[in-house]
Amino acid sequence: MDKDTAKKAVMAAVDALAPELKEISLFLHQNPELGGKEYQAAGLLMKAARRRGFTVTQNISGYETAFIAASGSGGPKIAFLAEYDALPELGHACGHNLIAAMSWGAAAAFAAVAGDRAVSLLIGCPAEETSGAKVAMAADGVFDGLAAALIVHPADTNCLGGTSYATHPLQVTFGGQSAHVAAKTNKGINALDALVLFYQGIKTLRQTFTQETILAGIITQGGTAPNIVPDKAEARFTVRALSSDYLEETMLPAIKRLAAGIALATGTTVETVHYEPLFKELLNNRHLMGLFRQNMNRLGETVIELAPDEADGSTDVGNVSHAAPTIHPDLGIGPSLAAHTPEFATAAGSDHAQERLLIGAKAMAMTAIDLLD
């Protein structure tokens, strides 16, 4: 079977799967689950995969709701990444219900057409919104040896390229000595004063970085009562850069040096802890981007290509992209949508979005066909 015929076959296979894909998407939308607790979502996807002959392995990299479903025995290994966690109170305001359905549709259609000419993998990736299971999965080698890792994200328009911010959030805790503010002899050591100095110093430090960065934070603990000198003060900071190397080798050491210097000057102690793992920047593969664009055009879709350094948010797909050729394009499901809003959640459950997910599934499956020998 030539590639043109194979592409027609995967398009037809996705169309045949349409009722199942819409059912999966809407079930997830109506039953949102938080990261690491996506038991219904993972169970539904694994059941669908087993029903079509995929071999399923559960409990990956310490996540009960992570899985790998595989079909085929030879040729290139193509992974379709499924996300399915929701947001607190907002539900599927990032459209992961659509991502899960699209990736399963692409994996199933590709497996049906490619047979043993390739290995089709549906990789279930929990907790993208929080701890980012793909971080641990990438470290464990789950994505090593892949010819491609594909995922499509719903958005307000079709986009391709760009990047994401590398991020490694930091918690800073100063320790002092408590005392009553009216004490005549023991004045204590004010941990909040140290933290305020650090917070102010961050504003100056931010100006010294030579690459595009994001550095912002909030004070999460500043004392227990106004008449007691705080012996503990804590803040959390989002620390982001367009390069994980710059983030890890320049930004974070400078921030930690600032904290240590202020602790020394104020007689306090300081502890810095990363409360979330390192999400690396997204490296979109140029070759895969070109193939995906051609296939979207074949489906009658136009695609906006973003500049390589254009970033909007962070994702653990970045860690995948450092281990395997990866693309993470956007698929438009409605105009003027912003992720993580009630409006996006509504759009992700709309009839229009359920039709659009078929486009994403077809484009990924067709791109996988292009990678066959």
Side-chain angles (χ1 to χ4, degrees):
M1 183 186 301
D2 61 48
K3 289 184 179 178
D4 183 68
T5 303
K7 287 184 180 183
K8 291 177 181 177
V10 294
M11 285 190 280
V14 170
D15 284 332
L17 283 164
E20 177 182 329
L21 302 183
K22 294 175 184 177
E23 182 179 354
I24 289 172
S25 171
L26 291 175
F27 179 86
L28 268 59
H29 191 268
Q30 293 160 12
N31 298 275
E33 298 168 294
L34 300 182
K37 304 295 183 182
E38 315 97 320
Y39 297 110
Q40 292 185 88
L44 187 62
L45 290 166
M46 289 188 289
K47 181 179 179 181
R50 289 190 179 102
R51 190 166 57 239
R52 293 189 177 272
F54 282 66
T55 300
V56 178
T57 305
Q58 299 177 238
N59 301 324
I60 307 298
S61 299
Y63 286 86
E64 290 182 316
T65 52
F67 66 88
I68 301 172
S71 179
S73 59
K77 295 180 179 180
I78 315 294
F80 305 91
L81 309 182
E83 296 173 353
Y84 30 80
D85 59 321
L87 291 158
E89 300 182 11
L90 291 172
H92 279 288
C94 212
H96 289 186
N97 59 305
L98 300 169
I99 293 176
M102 282 190 282
S103 289
W104 165 235
F110 179 60
V113 174
D116 285 332
R117 295 174 61 195
V119 177
S120 178
L121 298 167
L122 177 70
I123 302 183
C125 307
E128 191 275 337
E129 299 289 357
T130 51
S131 60
K134 298 184 201 71
V135 175
M137 295 166 80
D140 288 344
V142 169
F143 308 107
D144 292 353
L146 296 179
L150 309 175
I151 182 172
V152 171
H153 200 293
D156 60 348
T157 190
N158 296 339
C159 288
L160 187 62
T163 184
S164 65
Y165 287 104
T167 177
H168 206 175
L170 189 69
Q171 178 174 289
V172 180
T173 306
F174 285 91
Q177 181 182 335
S178 64
H180 195 283
V181 295
K184 298 297 184 183
T185 54
N186 181 14
K187 298 296 185 181
I189 300 174
N190 195 314
L192 180 58
D193 283 350
L195 180 58
V196 170
L197 287 172
F198 176 75
Y199 187 89
Q200 292 171 331
I202 283 289
K203 295 182 179 180
T204 302
L205 181 64
R206 191 165 48 202
Q207 299 172 16
T208 68
F209 298 130
T210 58
Q211 293 187 15
E212 183 179 344
T213 60
I214 296 173
L215 180 54
I218 59 170
I219 294 176
T220 54
Q221 184 174 342
T224 57
N227 64 340
I228 300 175
V229 174
D231 65 349
K232 181 179 180 181
E234 186 175 276
R236 285 189 166 189
F237 293 86
T238 180
V239 188
R240 307 187 190 199
L242 288 178
S243 160
S244 52
D245 287 343
Y246 190 78
L247 176 68
E248 297 292 294
E249 297 171 11
T250 300
M251 284 190 75
L252 286 166
I255 293 167
K256 293 174 183 179
R257 283 195 300 270
L258 174 65
I262 288 173
L264 182 64
T266 57
T268 57
T269 61
V270 68
E271 180 183 31
T272 55
V273 176
H274 293 287
Y275 61 92
E276 289 180 3
L278 169 64
F279 283 24
K280 296 181 180 180
E281 74 277 15
L282 177 65
L283 306 175
N284 275 298
N285 181 273
R286 300 295 303 180
H287 178 60
L288 292 177
M289 283 171 56
L291 297 176
F292 187 85
R293 174 190 286 279
Q294 291 173 10
N295 290 314
M296 285 288 282
N297 291 343
R298 179 167 178 168
L299 292 166
E301 300 283 330
T302 57
V303 182
I304 298 169
E305 185 164 339
L306 304 176
D309 61 351
E310 186 169 341
D312 182 12
S314 303
T315 174
D316 59 355
V317 178
N319 296 59
V320 180
S321 73
H322 285 254
T326 302
I327 53 170
H328 191 0
D330 288 344
L331 177 76
I333 63 168
S336 303
L337 290 174
H340 293 208
T341 62
E343 293 77 15
F344 200 102
T346 299
S350 68
D351 290 341
H352 178 65
Q354 310 320 305
E355 293 298 326
R356 295 294 293 163
L357 73 82
L358 302 179
I359 296 293
K362 289 176 182 178
M364 283 191 286
M366 292 163 71
T367 301
I369 291 294
D370 283 318
L371 300 177
L372 293 176
D373 296 330

